[in-house]
Amino acid sequence: MRNYADNQELILDQIKDKACQRRDFSGCDLSGIDLRSVDFSGFNLMGADFHGANLSGSDLTGANLNGANLIQTTLRGANLSGANLSEANFTNADLTSANICCSRLWRTQCSHINLWGASLCDTDLTEANLSAAILIEASLIEANLLRANLAGAKLCGATLLEANLTEVNLSGADLTSTNLTRANLSQANLWETKIIYAKLRDTIMPDGTICDPQIVIWD
């Protein structure tokens, strides 16, 4: 009977084999293995287990990772543009400098995730849990963060130009030097939020008023 390690090796061989026609690896166990620079573009990885795996530099463009387990997974510099990441679990994952533009992260668990310098432009993060996330210098231009949880998140130097932050929870978050130009903060929770040297030009504030100054010093 084939053992656990042999099963993982077989799956990995099939993924890397360009001649193999299999592109559906939904529910597969790929936890803890080296998957650096592997091409997963367009693959069905729904519900797959990548717990603790290393996918740095991997290509996951257009992949389906709905409900996948990515806890403590390393995805530094990976390309996840256009991927379906809804309801996936990225708790404690490292996505430093990853490309996640135009992806879907509905209700994704991203607590304590590292997204330093990541690109999330036009990404749908509706009701995503980003509590205590690191989003320093991340780009979230036109991102949809409707009802997302960013409590305690670090967004220093992040760009949220024209982002939808309606009903978002930013309690205790750090928005130092964040660009919120034309962002929508309607009904957002800014309790104990740190906003120093932030750009709030034409920003819709929680009470519905539009902020006029370009630079706001608000601690």
Side-chain angles (χ1 to χ4, degrees), residues 4 8 22 30 41 45 52 54 69 73 76 80 84 96-97 108 110 135 151 180 184 187 199 208-209:
Y4 172 77
Q8 281 196 319
R22 181 181 177 187
L30 293 161
S41 56
L45 300 161
N54 189 348
N69 178 11
T73 300
R76 296 173 69 92
L80 296 105
N84 180 5
T96 302
S97 301
T108 303
C110 299
L135 286 150
L180 290 155
N184 187 350
Q187 301 180 61
K199 291 184 179 180
T209 59

Short mmCIF file of all heavy atoms in Angstrom, two decimals, residues 4 8 22 30 41 45 52 54 69 73 76 80 84 96-97 108 110 135 151 180 184 187 199 208-209:
data_model
loop_
_atom_site.label_atom_id
_atom_site.label_comp_id
_atom_site.label_asym_id
_atom_site.label_seq_id
_atom_site.Cartn_x
_atom_site.Cartn_y
_atom_site.Cartn_z
N TYR A 4 1.99 7.71 2.84
CA TYR A 4 1.63 9.13 2.75
C TYR A 4 2.63 9.91 1.91
O TYR A 4 2.25 10.68 1.01
CB TYR A 4 1.55 9.69 4.17
CG TYR A 4 1.38 11.17 4.28
CD1 TYR A 4 0.14 11.77 4.06
CD2 TYR A 4 2.47 11.99 4.60
CE1 TYR A 4 -0.01 13.14 4.17
CE2 TYR A 4 2.32 13.36 4.72
CZ TYR A 4 1.08 13.93 4.50
OH TYR A 4 0.93 15.28 4.60
N GLN A 8 2.11 11.97 -1.79
CA GLN A 8 2.44 13.36 -2.04
C GLN A 8 3.39 13.50 -3.22
O GLN A 8 3.25 14.39 -4.06
CB GLN A 8 3.06 13.99 -0.79
CG GLN A 8 2.06 14.39 0.28
CD GLN A 8 2.67 15.33 1.30
OE1 GLN A 8 3.81 15.16 1.71
NE2 GLN A 8 1.93 16.33 1.70
N ARG A 22 -3.95 16.21 -16.21
CA ARG A 22 -4.70 16.44 -14.98
C ARG A 22 -4.49 17.85 -14.46
O ARG A 22 -3.36 18.29 -14.29
CB ARG A 22 -4.29 15.42 -13.91
CG ARG A 22 -5.05 15.58 -12.60
CD ARG A 22 -4.61 14.59 -11.54
NE ARG A 22 -5.31 14.81 -10.28
CZ ARG A 22 -5.03 14.19 -9.14
NH1 ARG A 22 -4.07 13.28 -9.11
NH2 ARG A 22 -5.71 14.46 -8.04
N LEU A 30 -1.14 18.53 0.10
CA LEU A 30 0.19 18.98 -0.31
C LEU A 30 0.85 19.74 0.82
O LEU A 30 1.69 20.61 0.61
CB LEU A 30 0.07 19.87 -1.56
CG LEU A 30 -0.41 19.16 -2.83
CD1 LEU A 30 -0.93 20.15 -3.85
CD2 LEU A 30 0.71 18.33 -3.42
N SER A 41 -1.26 27.58 -12.61
CA SER A 41 -2.21 28.49 -13.27
C SER A 41 -3.40 27.74 -13.84
O SER A 41 -3.25 26.76 -14.57
CB SER A 41 -1.49 29.27 -14.38
OG SER A 41 -0.88 28.40 -15.31
N LEU A 45 -7.86 23.74 -7.25
CA LEU A 45 -7.25 23.35 -5.98
C LEU A 45 -8.23 23.56 -4.83
O LEU A 45 -7.83 23.77 -3.69
CB LEU A 45 -5.97 24.16 -5.76
CG LEU A 45 -4.88 23.99 -6.84
CD1 LEU A 45 -3.88 25.14 -6.80
CD2 LEU A 45 -4.17 22.66 -6.68
N GLY A 52 1.59 24.85 5.73
CA GLY A 52 3.04 24.85 5.94
C GLY A 52 3.87 24.62 4.69
O GLY A 52 5.10 24.50 4.78
N ASN A 54 5.68 25.50 0.96
CA ASN A 54 6.39 26.66 0.42
C ASN A 54 6.05 26.82 -1.05
O ASN A 54 6.46 26.02 -1.88
CB ASN A 54 7.90 26.47 0.60
CG ASN A 54 8.69 27.73 0.25
OD1 ASN A 54 8.16 28.67 -0.33
ND2 ASN A 54 9.96 27.75 0.59
N ASN A 69 -6.75 25.17 2.52
CA ASN A 69 -6.04 25.38 3.78
C ASN A 69 -4.64 25.87 3.46
O ASN A 69 -3.80 25.12 2.96
CB ASN A 69 -5.98 24.08 4.58
CG ASN A 69 -5.20 24.25 5.89
OD1 ASN A 69 -4.87 25.36 6.29
ND2 ASN A 69 -4.90 23.15 6.55
N THR A 73 1.39 28.97 5.26
CA THR A 73 1.98 28.72 3.95
C THR A 73 2.84 29.92 3.53
O THR A 73 2.50 31.06 3.80
CB THR A 73 0.88 28.49 2.91
OG1 THR A 73 0.11 27.35 3.30
CG2 THR A 73 1.45 28.24 1.53
N ARG A 76 5.66 33.97 -0.81
CA ARG A 76 6.41 35.20 -1.10
C ARG A 76 6.63 35.34 -2.61
O ARG A 76 7.13 34.43 -3.27
CB ARG A 76 7.77 35.17 -0.39
CG ARG A 76 7.66 35.18 1.13
CD ARG A 76 9.02 35.00 1.78
NE ARG A 76 9.87 36.16 1.57
CZ ARG A 76 9.96 37.19 2.40
NH1 ARG A 76 9.24 37.19 3.52
NH2 ARG A 76 10.76 38.20 2.14
N LEU A 80 -1.03 35.33 -7.70
CA LEU A 80 -2.37 34.80 -7.47
C LEU A 80 -3.42 35.67 -8.16
O LEU A 80 -4.58 35.69 -7.77
CB LEU A 80 -2.68 34.71 -5.98
CG LEU A 80 -1.82 33.74 -5.16
CD1 LEU A 80 -0.79 34.50 -4.33
CD2 LEU A 80 -2.67 32.90 -4.24
N ASN A 84 -9.51 32.47 -7.34
CA ASN A 84 -10.64 32.40 -6.42
C ASN A 84 -10.12 31.88 -5.09
O ASN A 84 -9.81 30.70 -4.96
CB ASN A 84 -11.73 31.48 -6.96
CG ASN A 84 -12.93 31.39 -6.03
OD1 ASN A 84 -13.00 32.09 -5.02
ND2 ASN A 84 -13.88 30.52 -6.35
N THR A 96 4.37 38.15 1.28
CA THR A 96 5.17 39.34 1.02
C THR A 96 5.38 39.52 -0.48
O THR A 96 5.78 38.59 -1.19
CB THR A 96 6.54 39.22 1.71
OG1 THR A 96 6.35 39.04 3.11
CG2 THR A 96 7.37 40.47 1.48
N SER A 97 5.07 40.72 -0.97
CA SER A 97 5.27 41.09 -2.39
C SER A 97 4.50 40.22 -3.37
O SER A 97 4.84 40.16 -4.56
CB SER A 97 6.76 41.07 -2.74
OG SER A 97 7.49 41.97 -1.92
N THR A 108 -12.52 35.32 3.42
CA THR A 108 -11.25 34.61 3.60
C THR A 108 -10.69 34.89 4.99
O THR A 108 -10.76 36.00 5.49
CB THR A 108 -10.24 35.06 2.53
OG1 THR A 108 -10.80 34.82 1.24
CG2 THR A 108 -8.93 34.31 2.65
N CYS A 110 -7.67 35.64 7.03
CA CYS A 110 -6.31 36.15 6.81
C CYS A 110 -5.72 36.75 8.07
O CYS A 110 -4.89 37.67 8.02
CB CYS A 110 -6.30 37.20 5.70
SG CYS A 110 -6.85 36.61 4.09
N LEU A 135 -0.06 44.90 6.30
CA LEU A 135 -0.32 45.41 4.95
C LEU A 135 0.54 46.64 4.67
O LEU A 135 0.16 47.52 3.90
CB LEU A 135 -1.81 45.74 4.80
CG LEU A 135 -2.76 44.54 4.69
CD1 LEU A 135 -4.12 44.85 5.27
CD2 LEU A 135 -2.89 44.11 3.24
N ALA A 151 -9.13 44.94 12.25
CA ALA A 151 -8.80 45.34 13.62
C ALA A 151 -7.33 45.03 13.92
O ALA A 151 -6.87 43.91 13.72
CB ALA A 151 -9.70 44.61 14.61
N LEU A 180 -5.55 57.42 1.44
CA LEU A 180 -6.97 57.09 1.41
C LEU A 180 -7.74 58.03 0.49
O LEU A 180 -8.94 58.24 0.65
CB LEU A 180 -7.55 57.15 2.82
CG LEU A 180 -7.09 56.04 3.79
CD1 LEU A 180 -7.20 56.50 5.23
CD2 LEU A 180 -7.90 54.78 3.57
N ASN A 184 -13.85 55.20 0.42
CA ASN A 184 -15.16 55.29 1.06
C ASN A 184 -15.11 54.62 2.43
O ASN A 184 -15.03 53.40 2.52
CB ASN A 184 -16.22 54.62 0.17
CG ASN A 184 -17.64 54.83 0.71
OD1 ASN A 184 -17.83 55.30 1.82
ND2 ASN A 184 -18.63 54.45 -0.09
N GLN A 187 -19.56 54.53 7.58
CA GLN A 187 -19.90 53.65 8.70
C GLN A 187 -18.73 52.76 9.16
O GLN A 187 -18.94 51.73 9.79
CB GLN A 187 -21.11 52.77 8.35
CG GLN A 187 -22.35 53.57 7.97
CD GLN A 187 -23.52 52.68 7.62
OE1 GLN A 187 -23.98 51.89 8.44
NE2 GLN A 187 -24.01 52.80 6.40
N LYS A 199 -3.29 60.63 3.79
CA LYS A 199 -3.90 61.42 2.74
C LYS A 199 -5.39 61.10 2.69
O LYS A 199 -5.77 59.96 2.41
CB LYS A 199 -3.25 61.10 1.39
CG LYS A 199 -1.82 61.58 1.26
CD LYS A 199 -1.28 61.31 -0.14
CE LYS A 199 0.15 61.81 -0.27
NZ LYS A 199 0.70 61.57 -1.64
N GLY A 208 -20.28 60.21 6.72
CA GLY A 208 -20.80 60.60 5.42
C GLY A 208 -20.23 61.89 4.87
O GLY A 208 -20.45 62.22 3.71
N THR A 209 -19.50 62.65 5.69
CA THR A 209 -18.89 63.88 5.21
C THR A 209 -17.67 63.57 4.34
O THR A 209 -17.06 62.51 4.47
CB THR A 209 -18.45 64.78 6.39
OG1 THR A 209 -17.50 64.05 7.20
CG2 THR A 209 -19.63 65.17 7.25
#
